Each structure stands twice: as structure tokens, then as C-alpha cells.
Amino acid sequence: QVQLAESGGGLVQAGGSLKLSCTASGRTFSSYAMGWFRQAPGKEREFVAFISRNHDITYYVNSVKGRFTISRDSAETTLYLQMNSLKPEDTATYYCAAKASGGPSYSTWNYPYWGQGTQVTVSS
């Protein structure tokens, strides 16, 4: 079982950038496909980005394409989400998640492992 912990959130002005990190404890990410999700107040948790176990497949929700980049380090201990050109509507708590098998998934139900989240606030 892998334990996940996010960091890197904060307050940023619209148009700015943040880089979120998700670190693993207990074991490395190497056996897992990884995803980033976010949840704004009063809304359901939504998919943001996915990266495969082999680093060769990435997917993004349309609203962040061209602005966000998901990546994972070669040591398989840290997952990243580089967020550029941030907008107020990106304000949310961001979560990393892991799943042991299968291809890309947008559903929270397919990810059994979650971090506690990190808050991102984008001011206008």
C-alpha cells in the first residue's frame, strides 16, 4: 500500500504559476498509474490529469490542457503538477491519487489511494 502526501499549494494571482508535488511513502509509485483531481467548495471532486505507470500516456481535462503538465520523477517517489496561467476557476483543493492497474480513468472510484489534499487559491 502506498501513502500519498501533497504539497505546494498556496495563494497566487491569476496568470501565475504553482507546482504541486505528491510524495510517496511506504513504497514507490512504480507499480501505480497516477492522477490529479480537484474539488472546489460545493462541487464534486473532478479529474484533472493522468499519467501512466510507464510515463508514456498523459490525459488532461479540457479546461487545463495547454496550461497544466503532469509528470513523475525517475525515482518514482514524486508526482508533479505544473500549473501555469492559473485562473480563478482553478481554485480548489487538489488531490493526488494512485491506482494499481488499468488504463486512464477519470473516475474517483477507480483510485483506491488518495492524499489529504493541498489548497490552491487563485485571486482575480
Side-chain angles (χ1 to χ4, degrees), residues 52-120:
S52 64
R53 288 192 302 174
N54 296 327
H55 304 215
D56 57 342
I57 298 173
T58 57
Y59 280 103
Y60 299 91
V61 67
N62 285 340
S63 60
V64 309
K65 284 181 181 177
R67 300 189 298 122
F68 290 13
T69 303
I70 188 171
S71 63
R72 52 200 295 172
D73 71 344
S74 59
E76 299 288 0
T77 60
T78 307
L79 175 75
Y80 300 102
L81 186 68
Q82 176 67 48
M83 306 186 296
N84 298 327
S85 302
L86 282 161
K87 304 176 181 181
E89 51 264 42
D90 295 318
T91 295
T93 300
Y94 283 71
Y95 299 88
C96 63
K99 66 188 192 79
S101 63
S105 174
Y106 305 101
S107 172
T108 59
W109 292 102
N110 291 328
Y111 293 81
Y113 307 110
W114 292 85
Q116 293 301 306
T118 186
Q119 177 67 38
V120 172

Short mmCIF file of all heavy atoms in Angstrom, two decimals, residues 52-120:
data_model
loop_
_atom_site.label_atom_id
_atom_site.label_comp_id
_atom_site.label_asym_id
_atom_site.label_seq_id
_atom_site.Cartn_x
_atom_site.Cartn_y
_atom_site.Cartn_z
N SER A 52 0.42 7.51 -16.93
CA SER A 52 0.52 6.05 -16.83
C SER A 52 1.74 5.61 -16.03
O SER A 52 2.65 6.39 -15.74
CB SER A 52 0.59 5.45 -18.24
OG SER A 52 1.78 5.89 -18.89
N ARG A 53 1.76 4.32 -15.70
CA ARG A 53 2.90 3.76 -14.95
C ARG A 53 4.20 3.95 -15.70
O ARG A 53 5.25 4.18 -15.10
CB ARG A 53 2.66 2.27 -14.69
CG ARG A 53 1.61 1.97 -13.67
CD ARG A 53 1.65 0.52 -13.27
NE ARG A 53 1.46 -0.38 -14.41
CZ ARG A 53 1.57 -1.69 -14.34
NH1 ARG A 53 1.89 -2.27 -13.19
NH2 ARG A 53 1.37 -2.43 -15.40
N ASN A 54 4.16 3.83 -17.00
CA ASN A 54 5.37 3.92 -17.82
C ASN A 54 5.68 5.33 -18.29
O ASN A 54 6.58 5.51 -19.11
CB ASN A 54 5.24 3.00 -19.04
CG ASN A 54 5.15 1.54 -18.63
OD1 ASN A 54 5.74 1.12 -17.64
ND2 ASN A 54 4.42 0.75 -19.41
N HIS A 55 4.95 6.31 -17.80
CA HIS A 55 5.17 7.71 -18.13
C HIS A 55 4.79 8.04 -19.58
O HIS A 55 5.01 9.18 -20.01
CB HIS A 55 6.64 8.14 -17.94
CG HIS A 55 7.21 7.90 -16.59
ND1 HIS A 55 8.12 8.74 -16.02
CD2 HIS A 55 7.02 6.91 -15.69
CE1 HIS A 55 8.46 8.28 -14.83
NE2 HIS A 55 7.81 7.17 -14.61
N ASP A 56 4.26 7.09 -20.33
CA ASP A 56 4.11 7.31 -21.77
C ASP A 56 2.73 7.81 -22.18
O ASP A 56 2.53 8.19 -23.34
CB ASP A 56 4.44 6.02 -22.55
CG ASP A 56 3.57 4.85 -22.11
OD1 ASP A 56 2.97 4.92 -21.02
OD2 ASP A 56 3.53 3.85 -22.85
N ILE A 57 1.79 7.84 -21.25
CA ILE A 57 0.45 8.29 -21.57
C ILE A 57 0.04 9.34 -20.54
O ILE A 57 0.16 9.12 -19.34
CB ILE A 57 -0.56 7.13 -21.53
CG1 ILE A 57 -0.19 6.08 -22.58
CG2 ILE A 57 -1.98 7.64 -21.75
CD1 ILE A 57 -1.03 4.83 -22.49
N THR A 58 -0.42 10.47 -21.05
CA THR A 58 -0.97 11.51 -20.17
C THR A 58 -2.33 11.95 -20.73
O THR A 58 -2.54 11.93 -21.96
CB THR A 58 -0.05 12.72 -20.06
OG1 THR A 58 0.21 13.26 -21.36
CG2 THR A 58 1.27 12.36 -19.38
N TYR A 59 -3.21 12.32 -19.84
CA TYR A 59 -4.52 12.86 -20.20
C TYR A 59 -4.83 14.04 -19.31
O TYR A 59 -4.41 14.07 -18.16
CB TYR A 59 -5.62 11.80 -20.04
CG TYR A 59 -5.72 10.82 -21.17
CD1 TYR A 59 -5.21 9.54 -21.04
CD2 TYR A 59 -6.34 11.16 -22.38
CE1 TYR A 59 -5.30 8.63 -22.08
CE2 TYR A 59 -6.44 10.26 -23.41
CZ TYR A 59 -5.91 9.00 -23.26
OH TYR A 59 -5.99 8.10 -24.28
N TYR A 60 -5.59 14.99 -19.87
CA TYR A 60 -5.97 16.17 -19.12
C TYR A 60 -7.44 16.47 -19.37
O TYR A 60 -7.97 16.24 -20.46
CB TYR A 60 -5.14 17.37 -19.57
CG TYR A 60 -3.66 17.22 -19.35
CD1 TYR A 60 -2.85 16.67 -20.35
CD2 TYR A 60 -3.06 17.60 -18.16
CE1 TYR A 60 -1.48 16.51 -20.16
CE2 TYR A 60 -1.70 17.45 -17.96
CZ TYR A 60 -0.92 16.90 -18.96
OH TYR A 60 0.43 16.76 -18.77
N VAL A 61 -8.07 17.04 -18.37
CA VAL A 61 -9.39 17.60 -18.60
C VAL A 61 -9.25 18.79 -19.53
O VAL A 61 -8.22 19.49 -19.51
CB VAL A 61 -10.06 17.98 -17.25
CG1 VAL A 61 -9.34 19.14 -16.60
CG2 VAL A 61 -11.53 18.28 -17.44
N ASN A 62 -10.23 19.02 -20.37
CA ASN A 62 -10.10 20.05 -21.41
C ASN A 62 -9.79 21.43 -20.82
O ASN A 62 -9.05 22.21 -21.43
CB ASN A 62 -11.39 20.12 -22.23
CG ASN A 62 -11.53 18.97 -23.20
OD1 ASN A 62 -10.56 18.31 -23.54
ND2 ASN A 62 -12.76 18.71 -23.63
N SER A 63 -10.31 21.71 -19.65
CA SER A 63 -10.16 23.05 -19.09
C SER A 63 -8.72 23.38 -18.69
O SER A 63 -8.40 24.55 -18.47
CB SER A 63 -11.09 23.22 -17.89
OG SER A 63 -10.78 22.28 -16.89
N VAL A 64 -7.85 22.38 -18.58
CA VAL A 64 -6.46 22.65 -18.18
C VAL A 64 -5.46 22.32 -19.28
O VAL A 64 -4.25 22.57 -19.10
CB VAL A 64 -6.08 21.89 -16.88
CG1 VAL A 64 -7.10 22.14 -15.78
CG2 VAL A 64 -5.89 20.41 -17.13
N LYS A 65 -5.91 21.77 -20.38
CA LYS A 65 -4.99 21.43 -21.47
C LYS A 65 -4.23 22.66 -21.94
O LYS A 65 -4.80 23.72 -22.14
CB LYS A 65 -5.76 20.83 -22.65
CG LYS A 65 -6.18 19.39 -22.44
CD LYS A 65 -6.92 18.86 -23.66
CE LYS A 65 -7.36 17.43 -23.45
NZ LYS A 65 -8.14 16.91 -24.61
N GLY A 66 -2.91 22.47 -22.09
CA GLY A 66 -2.05 23.56 -22.51
C GLY A 66 -1.58 24.45 -21.38
O GLY A 66 -0.71 25.30 -21.58
N ARG A 67 -2.16 24.27 -20.19
CA ARG A 67 -1.76 25.09 -19.02
C ARG A 67 -1.11 24.24 -17.94
O ARG A 67 -0.21 24.70 -17.24
CB ARG A 67 -2.97 25.82 -18.44
CG ARG A 67 -3.66 26.75 -19.41
CD ARG A 67 -4.73 27.60 -18.71
NE ARG A 67 -5.80 26.80 -18.13
CZ ARG A 67 -6.13 26.82 -16.84
NH1 ARG A 67 -5.47 27.57 -15.98
NH2 ARG A 67 -7.15 26.08 -16.40
N PHE A 68 -1.59 23.01 -17.75
CA PHE A 68 -1.08 22.12 -16.69
C PHE A 68 -0.27 21.00 -17.32
O PHE A 68 -0.58 20.53 -18.42
CB PHE A 68 -2.24 21.50 -15.91
CG PHE A 68 -3.01 22.45 -15.03
CD1 PHE A 68 -2.87 23.83 -15.12
CD2 PHE A 68 -3.91 21.94 -14.10
CE1 PHE A 68 -3.58 24.68 -14.31
CE2 PHE A 68 -4.64 22.78 -13.28
CZ PHE A 68 -4.49 24.16 -13.38
N THR A 69 0.74 20.53 -16.57
CA THR A 69 1.54 19.39 -17.01
C THR A 69 1.75 18.44 -15.85
O THR A 69 2.23 18.85 -14.79
CB THR A 69 2.91 19.85 -17.54
OG1 THR A 69 2.73 20.78 -18.61
CG2 THR A 69 3.71 18.65 -18.06
N ILE A 70 1.40 17.19 -16.07
CA ILE A 70 1.62 16.15 -15.06
C ILE A 70 2.91 15.42 -15.39
O ILE A 70 3.21 15.16 -16.56
CB ILE A 70 0.42 15.18 -15.01
CG1 ILE A 70 0.56 14.20 -13.82
CG2 ILE A 70 0.23 14.44 -16.32
CD1 ILE A 70 -0.70 13.35 -13.59
N SER A 71 3.67 15.11 -14.37
CA SER A 71 4.91 14.37 -14.57
C SER A 71 5.24 13.59 -13.30
O SER A 71 4.66 13.84 -12.24
CB SER A 71 6.07 15.30 -14.95
OG SER A 71 6.33 16.22 -13.91
N ARG A 72 6.19 12.67 -13.43
CA ARG A 72 6.63 11.88 -12.28
C ARG A 72 8.13 11.69 -12.40
O ARG A 72 8.66 11.56 -13.50
CB ARG A 72 5.89 10.55 -12.19
CG ARG A 72 5.89 9.73 -13.45
CD ARG A 72 4.78 8.68 -13.48
NE ARG A 72 4.93 7.65 -12.48
CZ ARG A 72 4.02 6.72 -12.23
NH1 ARG A 72 2.89 6.70 -12.92
NH2 ARG A 72 4.24 5.80 -11.30
N ASP A 73 8.83 11.68 -11.29
CA ASP A 73 10.28 11.63 -11.36
C ASP A 73 10.75 10.20 -11.59
O ASP A 73 10.02 9.24 -11.39
CB ASP A 73 10.92 12.23 -10.10
CG ASP A 73 10.73 11.36 -8.87
OD1 ASP A 73 9.89 10.46 -8.88
OD2 ASP A 73 11.45 11.63 -7.89
N SER A 74 11.99 10.08 -12.04
CA SER A 74 12.53 8.77 -12.41
C SER A 74 12.70 7.86 -11.20
O SER A 74 12.71 6.64 -11.34
CB SER A 74 13.86 8.93 -13.15
OG SER A 74 14.79 9.62 -12.32
N ALA A 75 12.83 8.44 -10.03
CA ALA A 75 12.96 7.63 -8.81
C ALA A 75 11.61 7.08 -8.36
O ALA A 75 11.56 6.26 -7.43
CB ALA A 75 13.57 8.46 -7.70
N GLU A 76 10.55 7.53 -9.03
CA GLU A 76 9.20 7.06 -8.73
C GLU A 76 8.78 7.33 -7.29
O GLU A 76 8.08 6.53 -6.66
CB GLU A 76 9.05 5.56 -9.04
CG GLU A 76 9.29 5.23 -10.50
CD GLU A 76 8.15 5.70 -11.40
OE1 GLU A 76 7.18 6.29 -10.91
OE2 GLU A 76 8.25 5.49 -12.62
N THR A 77 9.22 8.49 -6.78
CA THR A 77 8.79 8.85 -5.44
C THR A 77 7.99 10.14 -5.40
O THR A 77 7.41 10.47 -4.37
CB THR A 77 10.01 9.02 -4.51
OG1 THR A 77 10.86 10.04 -5.04
CG2 THR A 77 10.77 7.71 -4.36
N THR A 78 7.99 10.89 -6.50
CA THR A 78 7.29 12.17 -6.52
C THR A 78 6.53 12.36 -7.81
O THR A 78 7.05 12.13 -8.90
CB THR A 78 8.28 13.34 -6.34
OG1 THR A 78 9.08 13.11 -5.17
CG2 THR A 78 7.52 14.64 -6.16
N LEU A 79 5.29 12.77 -7.67
CA LEU A 79 4.42 13.15 -8.77
C LEU A 79 4.27 14.66 -8.75
O LEU A 79 4.22 15.27 -7.68
CB LEU A 79 3.05 12.49 -8.59
CG LEU A 79 1.94 12.84 -9.58
CD1 LEU A 79 2.19 12.16 -10.91
CD2 LEU A 79 0.58 12.44 -9.01
N TYR A 80 4.22 15.27 -9.95
CA TYR A 80 4.13 16.72 -10.04
C TYR A 80 2.92 17.14 -10.86
O TYR A 80 2.46 16.41 -11.72
CB TYR A 80 5.39 17.30 -10.69
CG TYR A 80 6.67 17.00 -9.96
CD1 TYR A 80 7.54 16.00 -10.42
CD2 TYR A 80 7.03 17.70 -8.83
CE1 TYR A 80 8.71 15.72 -9.77
CE2 TYR A 80 8.22 17.43 -8.16
CZ TYR A 80 9.05 16.44 -8.64
OH TYR A 80 10.23 16.16 -7.98
N LEU A 81 2.48 18.35 -10.58
CA LEU A 81 1.51 19.02 -11.43
C LEU A 81 1.96 20.47 -11.57
O LEU A 81 1.84 21.26 -10.62
CB LEU A 81 0.09 18.96 -10.87
CG LEU A 81 -0.99 19.53 -11.79
CD1 LEU A 81 -1.15 18.64 -13.04
CD2 LEU A 81 -2.33 19.68 -11.07
N GLN A 82 2.53 20.78 -12.72
CA GLN A 82 2.92 22.16 -13.02
C GLN A 82 1.70 22.89 -13.55
O GLN A 82 1.12 22.47 -14.56
CB GLN A 82 4.05 22.19 -14.05
CG GLN A 82 4.46 23.58 -14.48
CD GLN A 82 5.11 24.37 -13.36
OE1 GLN A 82 6.01 23.87 -12.68
NE2 GLN A 82 4.68 25.60 -13.15
N MET A 83 1.34 23.97 -12.90
CA MET A 83 0.14 24.72 -13.26
C MET A 83 0.54 26.13 -13.67
O MET A 83 1.07 26.88 -12.84
CB MET A 83 -0.85 24.75 -12.10
CG MET A 83 -1.19 23.38 -11.55
SD MET A 83 -2.49 23.41 -10.30
CE MET A 83 -1.69 24.36 -9.02
N ASN A 84 0.31 26.47 -14.92
CA ASN A 84 0.62 27.79 -15.45
C ASN A 84 -0.64 28.51 -15.86
O ASN A 84 -1.69 27.88 -16.04
CB ASN A 84 1.55 27.67 -16.65
CG ASN A 84 2.89 27.03 -16.29
OD1 ASN A 84 3.41 27.19 -15.19
ND2 ASN A 84 3.46 26.29 -17.24
N SER A 85 -0.54 29.80 -16.03
CA SER A 85 -1.68 30.63 -16.48
C SER A 85 -2.92 30.33 -15.65
O SER A 85 -4.01 30.10 -16.18
CB SER A 85 -1.97 30.37 -17.96
OG SER A 85 -0.82 30.64 -18.75
N LEU A 86 -2.74 30.34 -14.35
CA LEU A 86 -3.83 29.97 -13.45
C LEU A 86 -4.98 30.96 -13.54
O LEU A 86 -4.78 32.17 -13.75
CB LEU A 86 -3.31 29.85 -12.02
CG LEU A 86 -2.56 28.55 -11.74
CD1 LEU A 86 -1.69 28.69 -10.50
CD2 LEU A 86 -3.54 27.39 -11.59
N LYS A 87 -6.18 30.43 -13.35
CA LYS A 87 -7.42 31.21 -13.41
C LYS A 87 -8.16 31.08 -12.09
O LYS A 87 -8.00 30.07 -11.40
CB LYS A 87 -8.30 30.70 -14.54
CG LYS A 87 -7.64 30.68 -15.91
CD LYS A 87 -8.56 30.06 -16.95
CE LYS A 87 -7.90 30.01 -18.32
NZ LYS A 87 -8.78 29.42 -19.34
N PRO A 88 -9.01 32.03 -11.75
CA PRO A 88 -9.78 31.90 -10.51
C PRO A 88 -10.58 30.60 -10.44
O PRO A 88 -10.75 30.04 -9.35
CB PRO A 88 -10.68 33.13 -10.55
CG PRO A 88 -9.88 34.15 -11.30
CD PRO A 88 -9.17 33.36 -12.37
N GLU A 89 -11.04 30.12 -11.58
CA GLU A 89 -11.82 28.88 -11.58
C GLU A 89 -10.98 27.64 -11.31
O GLU A 89 -11.52 26.54 -11.16
CB GLU A 89 -12.58 28.71 -12.90
CG GLU A 89 -11.74 28.85 -14.14
CD GLU A 89 -11.81 30.27 -14.72
OE1 GLU A 89 -11.77 31.24 -13.95
OE2 GLU A 89 -11.89 30.37 -15.97
N ASP A 90 -9.66 27.80 -11.23
CA ASP A 90 -8.79 26.68 -10.82
C ASP A 90 -8.72 26.54 -9.30
O ASP A 90 -8.12 25.58 -8.80
CB ASP A 90 -7.37 26.88 -11.36
CG ASP A 90 -7.29 26.82 -12.87
OD1 ASP A 90 -7.95 25.95 -13.47
OD2 ASP A 90 -6.58 27.66 -13.45
N THR A 91 -9.33 27.47 -8.59
CA THR A 91 -9.33 27.42 -7.13
C THR A 91 -10.02 26.15 -6.65
O THR A 91 -11.16 25.88 -7.01
CB THR A 91 -10.02 28.65 -6.54
OG1 THR A 91 -9.25 29.81 -6.87
CG2 THR A 91 -10.15 28.54 -5.04
N ALA A 92 -9.31 25.38 -5.83
CA ALA A 92 -9.84 24.10 -5.34
C ALA A 92 -8.81 23.46 -4.42
O ALA A 92 -7.66 23.92 -4.34
CB ALA A 92 -10.13 23.15 -6.50
N THR A 93 -9.23 22.40 -3.76
CA THR A 93 -8.28 21.52 -3.09
C THR A 93 -7.86 20.46 -4.10
O THR A 93 -8.71 19.82 -4.72
CB THR A 93 -8.91 20.86 -1.86
OG1 THR A 93 -9.32 21.88 -0.94
CG2 THR A 93 -7.91 19.95 -1.18
N TYR A 94 -6.56 20.30 -4.26
CA TYR A 94 -6.01 19.37 -5.25
C TYR A 94 -5.52 18.11 -4.54
O TYR A 94 -4.82 18.18 -3.52
CB TYR A 94 -4.87 20.02 -6.02
CG TYR A 94 -5.37 21.00 -7.06
CD1 TYR A 94 -5.93 22.21 -6.70
CD2 TYR A 94 -5.30 20.69 -8.42
CE1 TYR A 94 -6.41 23.09 -7.65
CE2 TYR A 94 -5.77 21.56 -9.38
CZ TYR A 94 -6.33 22.77 -8.99
OH TYR A 94 -6.81 23.64 -9.94
N TYR A 95 -5.90 16.98 -5.12
CA TYR A 95 -5.55 15.68 -4.56
C TYR A 95 -4.79 14.84 -5.58
O TYR A 95 -5.13 14.83 -6.77
CB TYR A 95 -6.83 14.90 -4.21
CG TYR A 95 -7.71 15.55 -3.19
CD1 TYR A 95 -8.69 16.46 -3.58
CD2 TYR A 95 -7.58 15.24 -1.84
CE1 TYR A 95 -9.51 17.06 -2.64
CE2 TYR A 95 -8.41 15.83 -0.89
CZ TYR A 95 -9.37 16.73 -1.30
OH TYR A 95 -10.19 17.31 -0.36
N CYS A 96 -3.78 14.11 -5.11
CA CYS A 96 -3.18 13.09 -5.96
C CYS A 96 -3.78 11.74 -5.58
O CYS A 96 -4.25 11.55 -4.45
CB CYS A 96 -1.67 13.07 -5.85
SG CYS A 96 -1.01 12.65 -4.23
N ALA A 97 -3.77 10.85 -6.55
CA ALA A 97 -4.38 9.54 -6.35
C ALA A 97 -3.62 8.49 -7.14
O ALA A 97 -2.99 8.81 -8.16
CB ALA A 97 -5.84 9.57 -6.81
N ALA A 98 -3.69 7.26 -6.69
CA ALA A 98 -2.96 6.17 -7.33
C ALA A 98 -3.87 4.97 -7.55
O ALA A 98 -4.77 4.70 -6.73
CB ALA A 98 -1.77 5.76 -6.47
N LYS A 99 -3.62 4.28 -8.68
CA LYS A 99 -4.31 3.02 -8.92
C LYS A 99 -3.34 2.02 -9.49
O LYS A 99 -2.45 2.38 -10.25
CB LYS A 99 -5.52 3.21 -9.84
CG LYS A 99 -5.24 3.63 -11.27
CD LYS A 99 -6.57 3.94 -11.94
CE LYS A 99 -6.45 4.08 -13.44
NZ LYS A 99 -6.39 2.76 -14.10
N ALA A 100 -3.54 0.78 -9.11
CA ALA A 100 -2.51 -0.23 -9.38
C ALA A 100 -2.56 -0.79 -10.79
O ALA A 100 -1.58 -1.35 -11.26
CB ALA A 100 -2.63 -1.38 -8.38
N SER A 101 -3.64 -0.66 -11.47
CA SER A 101 -3.72 -1.31 -12.78
C SER A 101 -4.68 -0.56 -13.68
O SER A 101 -5.40 0.34 -13.25
CB SER A 101 -4.19 -2.76 -12.62
OG SER A 101 -5.49 -2.80 -12.07
N GLY A 102 -4.67 -0.94 -14.95
CA GLY A 102 -5.61 -0.39 -15.90
C GLY A 102 -5.12 0.88 -16.54
O GLY A 102 -4.12 1.45 -16.18
N GLY A 103 -5.87 1.30 -17.53
CA GLY A 103 -5.52 2.49 -18.29
C GLY A 103 -6.05 3.75 -17.65
O GLY A 103 -6.43 3.76 -16.49
N PRO A 104 -6.09 4.82 -18.43
CA PRO A 104 -6.56 6.10 -17.90
C PRO A 104 -7.98 6.01 -17.37
O PRO A 104 -8.82 5.33 -17.94
CB PRO A 104 -6.49 7.02 -19.13
CG PRO A 104 -5.51 6.38 -20.02
CD PRO A 104 -5.66 4.92 -19.82
N SER A 105 -8.20 6.71 -16.27
CA SER A 105 -9.54 6.74 -15.71
C SER A 105 -9.82 8.12 -15.16
O SER A 105 -8.98 8.72 -14.50
CB SER A 105 -9.70 5.70 -14.60
OG SER A 105 -10.96 5.83 -13.97
N TYR A 106 -11.02 8.60 -15.46
CA TYR A 106 -11.46 9.90 -14.97
C TYR A 106 -12.27 9.77 -13.68
O TYR A 106 -12.62 10.78 -13.08
CB TYR A 106 -12.33 10.58 -16.01
CG TYR A 106 -11.68 10.71 -17.36
CD1 TYR A 106 -12.01 9.84 -18.39
CD2 TYR A 106 -10.74 11.69 -17.61
CE1 TYR A 106 -11.40 9.96 -19.65
CE2 TYR A 106 -10.14 11.83 -18.84
CZ TYR A 106 -10.48 10.95 -19.86
OH TYR A 106 -9.88 11.07 -21.08
N SER A 107 -12.55 8.54 -13.28
CA SER A 107 -13.45 8.33 -12.15
C SER A 107 -12.70 8.17 -10.85
O SER A 107 -11.73 7.42 -10.75
CB SER A 107 -14.30 7.07 -12.38
OG SER A 107 -15.04 6.76 -11.23
N THR A 108 -13.17 8.87 -9.81
CA THR A 108 -12.56 8.74 -8.49
C THR A 108 -12.68 7.31 -7.96
O THR A 108 -11.84 6.86 -7.18
CB THR A 108 -13.21 9.70 -7.50
OG1 THR A 108 -14.61 9.42 -7.41
CG2 THR A 108 -13.00 11.15 -7.90
N TRP A 109 -13.69 6.60 -8.41
CA TRP A 109 -13.94 5.25 -7.90
C TRP A 109 -12.81 4.28 -8.26
O TRP A 109 -12.64 3.26 -7.59
CB TRP A 109 -15.26 4.71 -8.46
CG TRP A 109 -16.45 5.42 -7.93
CD1 TRP A 109 -17.20 6.36 -8.57
CD2 TRP A 109 -17.05 5.26 -6.64
NE1 TRP A 109 -18.21 6.81 -7.75
CE2 TRP A 109 -18.15 6.14 -6.57
CE3 TRP A 109 -16.75 4.44 -5.54
CZ2 TRP A 109 -18.95 6.24 -5.44
CZ3 TRP A 109 -17.54 4.53 -4.41
CH2 TRP A 109 -18.63 5.42 -4.38
N ASN A 110 -12.07 4.59 -9.28
CA ASN A 110 -11.02 3.67 -9.73
C ASN A 110 -9.67 3.90 -9.07
O ASN A 110 -8.71 3.22 -9.40
CB ASN A 110 -10.87 3.77 -11.25
CG ASN A 110 -12.08 3.21 -11.97
OD1 ASN A 110 -12.71 2.28 -11.50
ND2 ASN A 110 -12.40 3.80 -13.12
N TYR A 111 -9.60 4.85 -8.17
CA TYR A 111 -8.35 5.17 -7.48
C TYR A 111 -8.50 4.84 -6.00
O TYR A 111 -9.18 5.57 -5.27
CB TYR A 111 -8.00 6.64 -7.67
CG TYR A 111 -7.66 7.02 -9.08
CD1 TYR A 111 -8.65 7.28 -10.01
CD2 TYR A 111 -6.33 7.14 -9.49
CE1 TYR A 111 -8.34 7.64 -11.32
CE2 TYR A 111 -6.01 7.50 -10.79
CZ TYR A 111 -7.02 7.75 -11.70
OH TYR A 111 -6.70 8.10 -12.98
N PRO A 112 -7.91 3.78 -5.51
CA PRO A 112 -8.08 3.42 -4.11
C PRO A 112 -7.21 4.19 -3.13
O PRO A 112 -7.48 4.18 -1.92
CB PRO A 112 -7.70 1.93 -4.09
CG PRO A 112 -6.80 1.75 -5.27
CD PRO A 112 -7.26 2.74 -6.30
N TYR A 113 -6.18 4.86 -3.64
CA TYR A 113 -5.24 5.54 -2.74
C TYR A 113 -5.25 7.05 -3.01
O TYR A 113 -5.12 7.47 -4.16
CB TYR A 113 -3.82 4.99 -2.94
CG TYR A 113 -3.76 3.49 -2.81
CD1 TYR A 113 -3.52 2.70 -3.91
CD2 TYR A 113 -3.96 2.88 -1.58
CE1 TYR A 113 -3.48 1.32 -3.81
CE2 TYR A 113 -3.92 1.49 -1.47
CZ TYR A 113 -3.69 0.73 -2.58
OH TYR A 113 -3.66 -0.64 -2.47
N TRP A 114 -5.35 7.81 -1.92
CA TRP A 114 -5.51 9.27 -2.01
C TRP A 114 -4.64 9.97 -0.98
O TRP A 114 -4.44 9.45 0.12
CB TRP A 114 -6.96 9.67 -1.77
CG TRP A 114 -7.88 9.22 -2.87
CD1 TRP A 114 -8.48 8.00 -3.00
CD2 TRP A 114 -8.30 10.00 -3.99
NE1 TRP A 114 -9.24 7.97 -4.14
CE2 TRP A 114 -9.15 9.18 -4.76
CE3 TRP A 114 -8.03 11.29 -4.42
CZ2 TRP A 114 -9.74 9.63 -5.94
CZ3 TRP A 114 -8.63 11.74 -5.58
CH2 TRP A 114 -9.46 10.91 -6.34
N GLY A 115 -4.19 11.15 -1.34
CA GLY A 115 -3.58 12.03 -0.37
C GLY A 115 -4.63 12.86 0.33
O GLY A 115 -5.84 12.74 0.06
N GLN A 116 -4.18 13.75 1.21
CA GLN A 116 -5.09 14.57 2.02
C GLN A 116 -5.46 15.88 1.33
O GLN A 116 -6.40 16.57 1.76
CB GLN A 116 -4.45 14.88 3.37
CG GLN A 116 -4.28 13.66 4.25
CD GLN A 116 -5.60 12.98 4.53
OE1 GLN A 116 -6.55 13.58 4.99
NE2 GLN A 116 -5.67 11.68 4.24
N GLY A 117 -4.73 16.22 0.27
CA GLY A 117 -5.07 17.41 -0.49
C GLY A 117 -4.24 18.63 -0.11
O GLY A 117 -3.73 18.73 0.99
N THR A 118 -4.11 19.53 -1.08
CA THR A 118 -3.44 20.81 -0.86
C THR A 118 -4.27 21.90 -1.50
O THR A 118 -4.78 21.74 -2.61
CB THR A 118 -2.00 20.79 -1.41
OG1 THR A 118 -1.33 22.00 -1.06
CG2 THR A 118 -1.95 20.61 -2.92
N GLN A 119 -4.44 23.01 -0.80
CA GLN A 119 -5.34 24.07 -1.25
C GLN A 119 -4.63 24.99 -2.25
O GLN A 119 -3.51 25.47 -1.99
CB GLN A 119 -5.84 24.90 -0.07
CG GLN A 119 -6.72 26.07 -0.45
CD GLN A 119 -8.05 25.63 -1.04
OE1 GLN A 119 -8.63 24.65 -0.60
NE2 GLN A 119 -8.53 26.36 -2.04
N VAL A 120 -5.30 25.25 -3.35
CA VAL A 120 -4.85 26.23 -4.35
C VAL A 120 -5.92 27.31 -4.46
O VAL A 120 -7.09 27.00 -4.71
CB VAL A 120 -4.61 25.56 -5.71
CG1 VAL A 120 -4.34 26.62 -6.79
CG2 VAL A 120 -3.46 24.58 -5.63
#
